[in-house]
Amino acid sequence: VTVQLVRAGGRSIDVEAEAAEDARLVAGAAAGDRRMFAALYRRHLDATVARLTRMIGPVAERDDLVQQIFLDVHRALPRFRGEARFTTFLHRIVVNVAYEHLERVRRRAGRTRSFDAGDLDAIVAPDASPEARARHRQELARVFARLDELSPKRRVAFVLVAVEGMALAEAAAVLGASPDAVKQRVREARLELVAAAHEQKEPS
Amino acid sequence: MTTSDERAEEIDREIVEPLQRARVGLDDLGAARLAAGIEAALDRAAAAPAPGGQRRAVRVAGLVLGIGAAAAVAVVAVRHAGRPAVVASPAPGATSAPGSTPTVAAGPRAPALLAPYVYSGAGADAQTLDATGRLVVPAGARVRAAIGTRVRLTLVGPGAVSVVDPAPADGGIELLVERGRLFVDYDGRGGGILRVRSPGAVTTVVGTLFSVEALDEGTRVAVARGRVRTEAVGTMHTIVAGTAWSATAGALDPIPADVAEALADHDASPPPPVGEYGIMRIDPGPSAAGAPALDGRALAGLPIVARVPAGSHVLDGAGGRLRLDVGGGSTVRVDRASELWSARAPAPRRTALADDGTRSAEDAYLAAEAAMRDGTREQARRALEAVVARDPGGAHGEAALLDLARLALEGGDAARARRHLARLPDPVRDRGLAEAAHHLRCRVEVTLGDDPAAAACLLAFRHRYPRSSHDAEALAVLASVTRACAAARPLLEEYLRAYPRGPFAADARQRLDGCASRSAP
């Protein structure tokens, strides 16, 4: 048995042990044990919220979408055969929910939205100085405005790979695409973001 | 350095790094809140079997809660729940007849229907309670209606409101206020957004209590809880709790007193009946006597026609009191000749306190109620224990346990109250009692001084019942049992935002000042 140790936020994680614990909880939850399912979602709640927030921003519907993710997981568990890690299975659902939300927003608004200071205040570092918080809020407002210009597919791929540092192979498994396709989406996203930035700096 | 490297660095600096630095995870409070929300969502999904594993099925899962509740249960629920969960009669796209279980239509999304459940004022008759796509009320009249389980509204005439058809593809609901004053509470937890169009404005809501008035001088929007966004003349306005925006002022002002009063009235009004119901119609009496009260709640504006849960009700009028037995699917009419308007009307039958061993659970509960009202605490306790013994696990038994816990707490025995509550399932089966039971559990933990248990209980309560009339108190108590300033500060700030003139506002400001001075260098 190969035990992988990954540094995450300054602590070591035994990936195999984590996966084994997930598998135990999944088996119990799939058999209808609500406590097992509660333990499962509590383990993954923080990472799920973080990933979803990076993809869609601190939108008002975020908590509802998180609930939807875990309801989808709960419903799909009996069909989860364990071919992939539970985290991959979960991230697929997160990505699907994010896609649907981003598509819905595009269809509905047909233009970019903006977050107000209250929305963004929730995701800036709470212990920074007021000036640093204001600066970070402005940066994030710009970040989400520029991400809003990307297609949902490119946006999600870009966040997974460029922001979260996910390996292409893993991102491909989560996105249900080939590694080459994911690489291409990230590249196109970068080009689009650069072009948009230059357009803003040098208006014709 | 090549141009492409520079570009990559630029993207990293401007996009990737700020996003990596963002605090996108959850703090303990946020995690507990979300976990409670997921639990509640799982409860809702479990209460309404979702066919075929389709997402749409989950979205409508909350629409058919508690349909099988018996009439007696509904009576107990109305009697006990401080603010029962909002449940409606026909759901959008649903068909139901009195006494039957509504079924959700399959296939393309059907337009939502406005299902009136109380109409008061000129023109009140049974037809005014028919589900419709457009409601019109004349001056002086008022109608309360539901759209599924998520929207409950009061339209004050002269007014007209309609559901925009086709429904938005995003699963939301869109209303058009042509004229009149519309007071709405919307539960957005099931997903989807409510949009309200009015002259010159579009208001977008995720979940809140608010009003949209289409007045002669233009649209006015006021928010009592949560916040909404209103777009008018290409500008987006965010309207937060306690404020109102109007097209004429073009700015945010405190909510006018009459609007605040109307919002509070809407919020406190009983929800539509669950399960079997009948129609009650009351015409004015021969003299200009005051409005009657049904089960202790005043009925404004006669004539009135309303859906009421099947079962026994007490109607108090100017001249006396009537016991109103409403059968499922039946219509009960109280007209000018009714005993209600006569001083000689007999008082309702009082149930004897003594248990003759043959009473039904409902009769036993009525006896216990009489004991709580007229007898000693010990008599009440014995009568309630008799109900629990007669109806263990049933609606009356649950209600009796709740009353036992309440009596114990009022008597200063919080430990005993906790033991009574421990005998109740969590959540209780009777949804009408669930909020009251949860609130009492939290009060018990607070009284016992178990701060972590109280905080967890209050967090879950606020998540499960965000529109509760106990919310202000729950938030204030949650802040007070949260000892650390860092954790308490957002709660105190939330309290002051939501209830700037609330009973705990002064305390909240004082504590915030204390926290600020402690953290100052």
Side-chain angles (χ1 to χ4, degrees):
Chain A
V1 177
T2 309
V3 176
Q4 288 175 269
L5 290 176
V6 175
R7 297 288 294 175
R11 76 192 166 97
S12 299
I13 295 174
D14 182 336
V15 174
E16 292 299 331
E18 294 284 314
E21 176 62 5
D22 277 346
R24 185 183 75 81
L25 295 173
V26 164
D33 188 329
R34 276 278 290 271
R35 282 173 308 174
M36 292 277 207
F37 186 66
L40 191 64
Y41 74 66
R42 282 172 201 275
R43 276 166 70 80
H44 295 282
L45 188 57
D46 198 49
T48 300
V49 172
R51 175 152 291 165
L52 187 69
T53 308
R54 287 193 195 100
M55 286 178 182
I56 66 175
V59 296
E61 307 94 311
R62 185 184 72 169
D63 286 4
D64 292 337
L65 294 173
V66 173
Q67 283 182 20
Q68 185 190 326
I69 286 167
F70 284 104
L71 279 178
D72 286 357
V73 169
H74 188 253
R75 208 169 39 241
L77 272 184
R79 299 194 303 277
F80 176 59
R81 303 256 176 255
E83 292 97 345
R85 285 184 195 282
F86 172 73
T87 46
T88 306
F89 166 77
L90 171 62
H91 296 330
R92 271 188 205 143
I93 292 176
V94 176
V95 162
N96 284 341
V97 168
Y99 265 145
E100 281 183 13
H101 171 80
L102 293 169
E103 287 287 2
R104 206 161 44 231
V105 170
R106 274 170 92 88
R107 274 200 309 273
R108 191 168 60 219
R111 58 187 160 79
T112 57
R113 290 150 311 165
S114 56
F115 293 105
D116 62 29
D119 297 326
L120 295 169
D121 213 34
I123 62 168
V124 298
D127 45 358
S129 68
E131 296 79 8
R133 288 171 64 85
R135 204 164 44 242
H136 196 191
R137 272 202 305 269
Q138 283 172 1
E139 285 173 342
L140 286 170
R142 210 163 39 231
V143 166
F144 287 114
R146 287 170 68 178
L147 289 178
D148 278 342
E149 299 299 324
L150 298 177
S151 74
K153 277 191 172 181
R154 287 179 189 167
R155 177 174 181 162
V156 168
F158 177 79
V159 171
L160 286 179
V161 175
V163 179
E164 299 200 333
M166 190 180 272
L168 279 177
E170 192 184 352
V174 168
L175 295 171
S178 70
D180 282 345
V182 176
K183 193 174 176 182
Q184 181 64 14
R185 283 181 206 172
V186 177
R187 189 173 157 273
E188 287 166 353
R190 279 185 181 280
L191 289 174
E192 213 174 306
L193 289 168
V194 168
H198 285 190
E199 215 168 272
Q200 268 186 352
K201 285 173 189 166
E202 299 162 13
S204 56
Chain B
M1 189 182 284
T2 66
T3 308
S4 86
D5 287 341
E6 285 168 6
R7 282 176 177 172
E9 272 190 15
E10 186 182 337
I11 292 299
D12 283 348
R13 195 174 54 248
E14 294 188 1
I15 307 281
V16 173
E17 286 170 13
L19 208 43
Q20 285 173 336
R21 271 190 288 123
R23 196 180 63 103
V24 289
L26 290 167
D27 55 21
D28 289 347
L29 288 177
R33 201 187 295 262
L34 253 177
I38 293 166
E39 280 296 315
L42 287 169
D43 286 344
R44 287 198 298 274
Q54 295 168 7
R55 176 155 297 150
R56 168 160 165 66
V58 171
R59 290 215 179 100
V60 298
L63 301 182
V64 289
L65 299 179
I67 291 301
V73 175
V75 172
V76 173
V78 168
R79 190 177 291 141
H80 280 274
R83 177 79 171 78
V86 175
V87 278
S89 308
T95 54
S96 82
S100 69
T101 302
T103 52
V104 177
R109 188 156 179 258
L113 287 178
L114 293 149
Y117 55 95
V118 181
Y119 183 106
S120 61
D125 62 35
Q127 282 72 45
T128 53
L129 297 185
D130 288 346
T132 177
R134 184 166 184 264
L135 282 175
V136 181
V137 287
R142 186 182 70 178
V143 63
R144 297 196 202 276
I147 303 175
T149 55
R150 292 154 60 190
V151 181
R152 212 165 55 106
L153 58 87
T154 298
L155 177 66
V156 178
V161 62
S162 52
V163 181
V164 175
D165 185 18
D170 61 13
I173 296 169
E174 194 162 317
L175 297 176
L176 171 65
V177 186
E178 298 161 41
R179 63 182 185 284
R181 308 176 72 198
L182 183 71
F183 303 89
V184 186
D185 58 296
Y186 175 57
D187 182 350
R189 285 172 298 173
I193 281 175
L194 173 68
R195 266 183 290 276
V196 183
R197 294 186 179 277
S198 52
V202 181
T203 300
T204 304
V205 187
V206 173
T208 181
L209 171 64
F210 70 104
S211 64
V212 174
E213 297 166 278
L215 309 171
D216 289 343
E217 58 271 29
T219 288
R220 177 169 65 185
V221 181
V223 178
R225 272 200 304 271
R227 65 178 175 176
V228 306
R229 290 187 183 195
T230 295
E231 188 170 4
V233 205
T235 305
M236 188 68 84
H237 307 272
T238 298
I239 305 164
V240 298
T243 61
W245 171 91
S246 67
T248 42
L252 291 182
D253 290 314
I255 301 183
D258 64 318
V259 179
E261 196 178 318
L263 279 163
D265 171 70
H266 170 79
D267 195 30
S269 64
V274 187
E276 277 197 305
Y277 62 85
I279 306 287
M280 173 192 74
R281 177 178 173 145
I282 306 174
D283 293 322
S287 64
L294 181 72
D295 298 329
R297 284 176 185 267
L299 298 168
L302 299 181
I304 186 169
V305 58
R307 296 182 201 279
V308 291
S312 287
H313 300 271
V314 174
L315 191 61
D316 287 298
R321 170 179 275 192
L322 280 185
R323 184 176 177 119
L324 210 60
D325 290 312
V326 179
S330 70
T331 297
V332 177
R333 183 165 181 170
V334 178
D335 59 21
R336 284 171 62 89
S338 164
E339 290 172 331
L340 180 72
W341 306 117
S342 155
R344 292 189 306 277
R349 176 172 59 90
R350 287 279 294 276
T351 311
L353 280 179
D355 186 349
D356 60 8
T358 58
R359 282 199 303 251
S360 68
E362 184 177 358
D363 281 344
Y365 191 82
L366 285 171
E369 271 205 321
M372 283 189 281
R373 191 175 55 240
D374 305 329
T376 64
R377 191 182 297 277
E378 187 50 33
Q379 280 176 319
R381 200 186 63 72
R382 277 203 308 271
L384 288 165
E385 286 289 6
V387 178
V388 176
R390 190 174 300 275
D391 190 26
H396 293 94
E398 287 188 342
L401 278 171
L402 190 59
D403 284 329
L404 279 167
R406 199 178 280 135
L407 279 179
L409 190 61
E410 284 166 6
D413 192 345
R416 180 188 285 236
R418 188 193 249 172
R419 285 198 297 277
H420 287 308
L421 289 170
R423 294 159 71 189
L424 278 168
D426 183 16
V428 299
R429 277 183 282 274
D430 179 349
R431 289 178 180 276
L433 297 180
E435 181 185 338
H438 197 145
H439 183 244
L440 194 59
R441 277 197 173 98
C442 299
R443 280 180 58 201
V444 167
E445 298 306 334
V446 171
T447 308
L448 287 168
D450 188 343
D451 286 356
C457 182
L458 288 162
L459 268 174
F461 177 82
R462 294 198 68 223
H463 200 98
R464 196 170 284 178
Y465 308 105
R467 296 182 305 167
S468 169
S469 55
H470 300 301
D471 185 65
E473 179 206 308
L475 180 54
V477 177
L478 178 58
S480 81
V481 298
T482 305
R483 302 289 175 202
C485 273
R489 191 175 293 120
L491 297 168
L492 295 164
E493 287 167 350
E494 183 185 350
Y495 182 88
L496 289 173
R497 271 198 309 275
Y499 310 104
R501 288 182 291 278
F504 309 101
D507 291 339
R509 286 194 191 93
Q510 196 175 1
R511 178 138 185 237
L512 272 176
D513 290 344
C515 287
S517 62
R518 242 172 289 158
S519 64

